[in-house]
Amino acid sequence: MIKNNNIRKIISAVLVGAMCLALVGCNKTEPEVTTPVAESSKEEVKVSEKEETVEEAVDPNALEPGMMRSYLSGLPVDEKIGNRRPIAIMLNNLEAAQPMSGISYADVVYEYVVEGAITRLMGVFENYDKLDKIGSVRSCREYFVYTALEFDAIYMHFGQAAYALDILGKDYVHNLNGLGEAGDTTFYRTTDRNAPHNVYTSAKGIEAGIKKLGYREDHYDGFKGKFKFCDLDKVVTNEDGIKATHLEPKYKINKPWFEYNEETQKYDRYQYDGPQIDDLTGEQISFDNVIFQYNNWVQLDEKDYLAFDCHSGGVFQYFTHGKCVVGKWVREINEDNYDMSAVRYYDMDGNELEINNGKTFICVVQDTEIEKVVIE
């Protein structure tokens, strides 16, 4: 359970009430007062004016030519990488598929529950050019597609549940399916694991699949990203939040948790009773930002297939630097295509939340499970 009564009250209030998402402010400028200068002091004033040096304001986000801030991490990246559409890959999170390959290269990772209380991850990758093994890759669930669309990502999966066919068929959903036309081009199987845990992709396969299907390779005009990152010379500390150094979203099978690492100032990820490791690096994965996002959900059938409401909004908890704050998530209204709009995060005063530059892990939690979540 959440160990702080205040944060429980805050979350309950957000769930049952509407949040004001606009604040009105005004700035007043005092009129300039000119004081006459005596004749005897005019020359002295002129001399001092010549000696003054005016310091120009330094832009904290100024970058070298050819660089830009990443839409995924907020960090400086080459414009060719930053303007290129990312890929969103369905990652197998069963114990038999551990450790994953390449997950540490994802700038954003999502975790949702699927049938049978297992979870599946989706990694959103920006710079994957040197990777020859990413996976293993598993099948689609429709709520992951809505999430991938927030990033204007090309969505990658190996098969799908029947409930996902409708959204996958939309012309604005660009996806590389292992059972589709570009399957053999994009994916490959290894011999070190049994199926279905042995399907992988690579930078070469991704590029070939995108070319084969003729997908747009750069972000559409007007794309502005999902997150609001702080300036490069600043750090968000959540100083007014509650202590949050141990986090458990309470997924039943893999039983993951996060531990705040004081030395690195990141959250280290654990599951299946130990550190979650990237097989390519041999190192534990860690994140600058962790978000628990609470979504409405329903069970679709007796086989326990689920659906999550990715549009109507809800509450979230944002964790960074060992502290937690609470707010409300809202999917912004895009008149051209609501599905391609992004979820935005707002604090309790209705201001868009600034998060730290770096990697982000988002656990989407069933809103009925909120009382079971552990924050210590």
Side-chain angles (χ1 to χ4, degrees):
M1 58 171 56
I2 301 172
K3 301 296 184 180
N4 186 290
N5 289 329
N6 291 332
I7 201 167
R8 278 186 179 176
K9 292 177 182 178
I10 292 172
I11 292 173
S12 298
V14 177
L15 283 170
V16 300
M19 172 183 291
C20 175
L21 295 180
L23 296 176
V24 178
C26 62
N27 294 316
K28 295 182 179 180
T29 304
E30 295 293 331
E32 182 179 350
V33 179
T34 303
T35 302
V37 179
E39 288 294 329
S40 60
S41 62
K42 282 184 179 180
E43 187 63 30
E44 181 181 341
V45 171
K46 288 181 180 178
V47 172
S48 64
E49 285 176 349
K50 289 180 182 180
E51 293 176 349
E52 285 183 0
T53 300
V54 179
E55 294 186 6
E56 295 184 4
V58 177
D59 181 0
N61 299 311
L63 301 174
E64 296 292 329
M67 301 292 286
M68 63 178 285
R69 293 187 70 183
S70 165
Y71 291 118
L72 298 185
S73 70
L75 297 172
V77 296
D78 189 287
E79 288 180 348
K80 293 179 180 179
I81 298 296
N83 285 320
R84 181 175 66 178
R85 297 175 71 188
I87 55 170
I89 305 178
M90 293 295 291
L91 297 170
N92 186 349
N93 201 36
L94 292 176
E95 189 168 12
Q98 305 307 311
M100 296 178 186
S101 294
I103 187 172
S104 63
Y105 292 86
D107 292 287
V108 182
V109 179
Y110 274 82
E111 183 169 26
Y112 279 92
V113 178
V114 296
E115 61 281 354
I118 65 173
T119 68
R120 194 153 291 173
L121 305 187
M122 183 181 77
V124 187
F125 296 77
E126 179 175 65
N127 191 350
Y128 50 86
D129 293 330
K130 296 181 180 180
L131 300 182
D132 57 9
K133 188 179 184 183
I134 309 172
S136 63
V137 182
R138 287 303 300 269
S139 59
C140 165
R141 300 294 179 269
E142 69 270 28
Y143 34 95
F144 282 100
V145 183
Y146 292 120
T147 300
L149 287 170
E150 295 185 53
F151 298 91
D152 189 31
I154 296 172
Y155 179 66
M156 299 184 62
H157 58 105
F158 201 94
Q160 64 283 316
Y163 298 104
L165 290 173
D166 181 59
I167 185 64
L168 288 173
K170 303 296 185 183
D171 59 4
Y172 54 84
V173 176
H174 292 170
N175 64 299
L176 296 172
N177 184 358
L179 301 181
E181 182 181 350
D184 292 339
T185 302
T186 305
F187 301 92
Y188 66 92
R189 288 189 183 272
T190 63
T191 59
D192 58 335
R193 291 177 178 169
N194 295 325
H197 311 304
N198 62 347
V199 176
Y200 295 87
T201 188
S202 65
K204 183 178 179 180
I206 293 167
E207 181 180 3
I210 292 172
K211 296 290 187 185
K212 185 171 185 175
L213 297 183
Y215 288 149
R216 170 173 51 85
E217 297 185 37
D218 292 329
H219 284 297
Y220 60 80
D221 291 341
F223 179 74
K224 56 183 180 180
K226 170 184 172 67
F227 300 116
K228 181 179 181 180
F229 293 105
C230 65
D231 288 342
L232 290 172
D233 65 342
K234 294 183 179 179
V235 175
V236 176
T237 62
N238 279 357
E239 60 182 10
D240 295 327
I242 67 164
K243 179 184 176 183
T245 56
H246 175 86
L247 321 174
E248 297 179 30
K250 283 301 180 182
Y251 298 134
K252 296 176 182 178
I253 304 300
N254 59 324
K255 299 179 181 178
W257 75 97
F258 299 84
E259 294 285 352
Y260 182 63
N261 186 322
E262 290 280 357
E263 183 176 345
T264 63
Q265 299 184 333
K266 300 176 186 290
Y267 284 92
D268 296 330
R269 162 85 175 187
Y270 298 79
Q271 63 173 5
Y272 295 116
D273 299 320
Q276 184 170 356
I277 304 298
D278 185 336
D279 197 35
L280 295 188
T281 65
E283 298 179 354
Q284 184 175 14
I285 60 174
S286 60
F287 298 86
D288 302 274
N289 309 296
V290 177
I291 294 173
F292 286 2
Q293 178 180 309
Y294 298 90
N295 288 39
N296 217 342
W297 68 285
V298 296
Q299 182 175 326
L300 295 173
D301 58 27
E302 67 279 0
K303 295 182 180 179
D304 199 30
Y305 278 92
L306 308 180
F308 283 84
D309 181 353
C310 298
H311 295 77
S312 298
V315 299
F316 72 90
Q317 296 156 321
Y318 170 54
F319 309 97
T320 195
H321 282 260
K323 293 288 190 72
C324 167
V325 296
V326 180
K328 184 174 182 180
W329 66 267
V330 178
R331 196 163 189 133
E332 67 179 1
I333 297 176
N334 183 328
E335 294 181 358
D336 295 329
N337 190 327
Y338 191 23
D339 289 341
M340 293 188 70
S341 60
V343 165
R344 306 288 180 192
Y345 299 104
Y346 296 89
D347 65 22
M348 296 302 295
D349 294 321
N351 304 304
E352 187 170 5
L353 185 78
E354 281 193 353
I355 69 171
N356 277 312
N357 300 291
K359 295 182 182 295
T360 302
F361 196 110
I362 300 176
C363 294
V364 179
V365 181
Q366 294 158 288
D367 59 1
T368 53
E369 301 293 297
I370 194 168
E371 288 293 327
K372 299 178 183 178
V373 169
V374 172
I375 301 168
E376 297 175 332

